[in-house]
Amino acid sequence: MAADKTPQPLDYAFTAPIEKDGAFATFLTVPGSAELLGTRRAVKVVGTLDGEHPFEATLMPSGDGPHWLPLRVALCKAIGKSAAGEEVSVHLQQRLS
């Protein structure tokens, strides 16, 4: 699937707390992502945050299991959340890479 650049449908929802350490200033850990995506490499996805805020992002491999979903400042402002520990609902809808 790595060579296939055609968008793939995804239907994966989870809720995770905002985290503030690691390689990104603000991010979420995507549980079970390596198994879901079949890779530990970076993967571009589209989805929604908190049921209504669309986003496109690259899930970054953590190196030891699940991927991280970086949250840009604009996304944090859109959902009104940016503090570590605040819960965010995520629905991954499409895989772009």
Side-chain angles (χ1 to χ4, degrees):
M1 190 186 293
D4 186 2
K5 298 296 183 195
T6 304
Q8 304 283 322
L10 278 178
D11 184 15
Y12 184 65
F14 65 94
T15 300
I18 291 175
E19 297 180 60
K20 290 281 193 175
D21 56 347
F24 306 100
T26 305
F27 67 97
L28 303 173
T29 297
V30 183
S33 60
E35 296 78 15
L36 172 73
L37 301 168
T39 185
R40 292 192 189 276
R41 295 179 183 217
V43 176
K44 291 182 184 178
V45 296
V46 221
T48 58
L49 298 177
D50 285 345
E52 59 182 282
H53 302 283
F55 74 92
E56 182 174 322
T58 300
L59 300 181
M60 302 304 293
S62 66
D64 62 355
H67 289 74
W68 290 326
L69 169 59
L71 292 178
R72 294 187 179 131
V73 172
L75 283 175
C76 289
K77 285 181 182 179
I79 63 174
K81 298 176 184 175
S82 64
E86 287 186 285
E87 295 278 323
V88 179
S89 297
V90 180
H91 183 202
L92 300 179
Q93 298 168 321
Q94 198 171 46
R95 177 180 176 162
L96 303 178
S97 68

